[in-house]
Amino acid sequence: MAALAVVTTACGGGSGAGDGSTLTMWTFKQTHVKALQAAAATFKSKTGITVEISAYTPDDTFTSKVQSAAASHNVADVLEVHAAGEDRVLGGAGITTDLAGDINAQYKSRFLKGTADTGLITDQVYQDSLKPKATDPGVKTGQLLSIPFTAGTFGVVYANKDKLTAAGIDASNAPASWQELISWLTATHGKDAQNGGITLGLKSSSTGLDWAMEPLAFALLGPQAFHDLYGTDKSKAWGSANGQQVLELYNQLTPYWTPGTQTLGIDDADRAFAQGKAAFDIGGTFTISAIQQNGMDPAKILAFPIPAPETAVAKDFKLAPFALTGLAVSSQTANRAAALQWLDFLTQPEQAGAFAQAALDLPGTDLGANAEKLVGPYLSSMEAAFGTGDHAWNPGDSTFKGSNWDIQVAGDILVKMSPLKELDPAATNQQLAVYNTSVHSGQ
């Protein structure tokens, strides 16, 4: 079991007293702690109920903490969990409880379009849970194992305005194309070869794949041809000319990765950027909070989505938001009614906006026309990159991939090309083709 690297902010114990006057909540997001504490203070003033917030990081430490606490019947009343993943794992294990009977259609209508049922166990999710390597055995069709708390998307680039200016770049507007982004990298790297490059937490190799390469591929090829990369038609799938074109563009980043990027975790990469060790950082809408926590003023950042190439098919390329984290209730809690009251409070528009401003993380609640006013200037600029429909890349949609597709396996192949230079784009294309074929053949 991983060592408990903690981060505790209040009493770190498990389930509350059982009289509904005190709740405990655990999160894996240190950047959410102060915002949750502020919410808890307001909640207490309204209800008299105290909520004690504790954070356990990084992710594997949080997981170990929850599992060991469950074994001793001491899990917190409420958990913030990874949506569409960890919520299913904990629910299938019986650690968290089914919310389907508590969250009706009217309740769900407060969430961003397409996110309300992220925690729902559909028949497809149930069928997938029956497979030998499934991580969520035990789930049942119809269960609702979490409700959305934060939402956002991947594929957001953060640039250091001071480094842009020093390299002679106008930092007031985002680059108009992928090619212009590469020219910016050439300029910042030329100005400062040690600290003028780009970083990303490539220790988790899937980040390069689904935070950078996939949005680039979607924009370049358009939605149908992008989906075809993962299909069975070899003239259009990985190994094809389309795959080669995508990889050659992505490989343009290779000269500009900051030294050692492939060894950095996500938090490490964000910290390196905040410390001025890179001019660019690729992440998601959630990254700005981590950068701020590491000491960088958000006003010093220019944030923009992965820019579309000049020859992009998806002319109105946008990023589709999806639920990132969810709220789940422990099956061991003696304070279920109070826990549900806390969930309801956290996801009301006014409170969700207050949380967003304090945590610099977008809420799963739909704030409607008041969004810009409620979330503040830094997050509202990111919302401009959001979109829905055919020209919006949705990293939460994997329905067009083989059911056994593993982004970590594919990410490992991509990292061998960039930044490691062990493969060229052609060899990478062929290895992805072999993997894609094996997925579809069930091997």
Side-chain angles (χ1 to χ4, degrees):
M1 181 182 297
L4 197 62
V6 163
V7 181
T8 303
T9 58
C11 172
S15 297
D19 60 3
S21 63
T22 301
L23 290 172
T24 53
M25 177 178 177
W26 293 349
T27 176
F28 61 93
K29 300 277 287 186
Q30 173 63 22
T31 55
H32 288 180
V33 171
K34 289 184 178 178
L36 284 169
Q37 287 177 323
T42 304
F43 184 64
K44 184 173 183 178
S45 70
K46 292 178 179 292
T47 66
I49 300 171
T50 298
V51 184
E52 298 173 342
I53 310 294
S54 298
Y56 298 90
T57 64
D59 292 6
D60 56 350
T61 297
F62 178 79
T63 300
S64 297
K65 172 65 178 177
V66 172
Q67 292 175 343
S68 62
S72 57
H73 207 78
N74 197 34
V75 177
D77 299 297
V78 176
L79 300 172
E80 182 180 6
V81 295
H82 291 284
E86 190 174 39
D87 50 352
R88 299 171 185 172
V89 174
L90 297 178
I95 296 173
T96 56
T97 188
D98 181 12
L99 301 173
D102 306 289
I103 311 297
N104 59 25
Q106 182 179 7
Y107 195 132
K108 288 182 179 179
S109 69
R110 74 179 61 170
F111 299 115
L112 289 169
K113 184 179 181 180
T115 66
D117 282 334
T118 302
L120 181 67
I121 303 303
T122 63
D123 186 58
Q124 184 60 57
V125 173
Y126 170 70
Q127 293 299 330
D128 288 344
S129 77
L130 301 177
K131 296 177 180 177
K133 296 182 180 179
T135 59
D136 53 358
V139 298
K140 298 176 182 177
T141 302
Q143 288 180 311
L144 183 69
L145 297 175
S146 71
I147 60 172
F149 184 45
T150 63
T153 192
F154 307 142
V156 178
V157 183
Y158 294 85
N160 182 316
K161 287 184 176 179
D162 289 343
K163 290 183 181 292
L164 294 180
T165 301
I169 298 167
D170 178 3
S172 59
N173 292 298
S177 67
W178 175 263
Q179 286 78 9
E180 187 170 12
L181 172 62
I182 298 300
S183 73
W184 284 19
L185 273 163
T186 303
T188 57
H189 192 262
K191 182 70 176 179
D192 182 353
Q194 184 65 30
N195 300 311
I198 189 167
T199 192
L200 172 62
L202 285 174
K203 184 177 181 180
S204 298
S205 63
S206 62
T207 56
L209 185 87
D210 60 357
W211 293 14
M213 190 274 284
E214 286 199 342
L216 173 65
F218 182 98
L220 175 69
L221 302 175
Q224 186 57 57
F226 170 70
H227 291 180
D228 290 343
L229 287 174
Y230 299 87
T232 56
D233 184 343
K234 293 185 178 179
S235 70
K236 300 176 181 177
W238 287 113
S240 70
N242 280 348
Q244 184 71 16
Q245 190 179 7
V246 169
L247 292 169
E248 286 177 353
L249 279 179
Y250 182 79
N251 196 40
Q252 290 176 348
L253 293 174
T254 301
Y256 307 115
W257 292 114
T258 55
T261 284
Q262 71 274 13
T263 66
L264 299 181
I266 295 168
D267 292 342
D268 300 325
D270 296 340
R271 188 177 304 111
F273 174 77
Q275 293 173 345
K277 297 178 180 177
F280 299 86
D281 183 23
I282 302 176
T285 52
F286 47 86
T287 302
I288 190 171
S289 59
I291 294 173
Q292 183 193 44
Q293 185 183 39
N294 282 295
M296 188 172 185
D297 182 351
K300 297 284 188 181
I301 299 169
L302 176 65
F304 51 88
I306 290 281
E310 293 170 353
T311 57
V313 172
K315 297 297 183 186
D316 298 322
F317 175 58
K318 295 289 186 180
L319 304 174
F322 65 101
L324 292 168
T325 70
L327 299 170
V329 175
S330 167
S331 62
Q332 301 175 356
T333 181
N335 302 309
R336 181 180 173 82
L340 291 171
Q341 196 174 352
W342 173 235
L343 265 57
D344 177 59
F345 172 77
L346 284 176
T347 55
Q348 293 286 348
E350 184 175 351
Q351 173 51 44
F355 172 84
Q357 287 220 39
L360 283 185
D361 210 343
L362 290 166
T365 300
D366 186 351
L367 304 180
N370 292 323
E372 183 172 351
K373 177 181 177 182
L374 290 174
V375 304
Y378 305 121
L379 293 180
S380 62
S381 66
M382 291 188 196
E383 285 204 312
F386 284 172
T388 58
D390 290 344
H391 288 270
W393 173 67
N394 183 358
D397 178 15
S398 60
T399 56
F400 51 91
K401 300 176 180 176
S403 60
N404 293 323
W405 179 271
D406 187 331
I407 57 175
Q408 199 69 40
V409 174
D412 288 347
I413 296 172
L414 191 66
V415 167
K416 288 181 180 177
M417 179 187 78
S418 182
L420 296 182
K421 304 178 186 178
E422 295 175 1
L423 300 174
D424 62 17
T428 306
N429 200 19
Q430 289 307 308
Q431 288 206 8
L432 287 172
V434 170
Y435 176 61
N436 186 54
T437 299
S438 72
V439 169
H440 285 291
S441 65
Q443 296 178 353

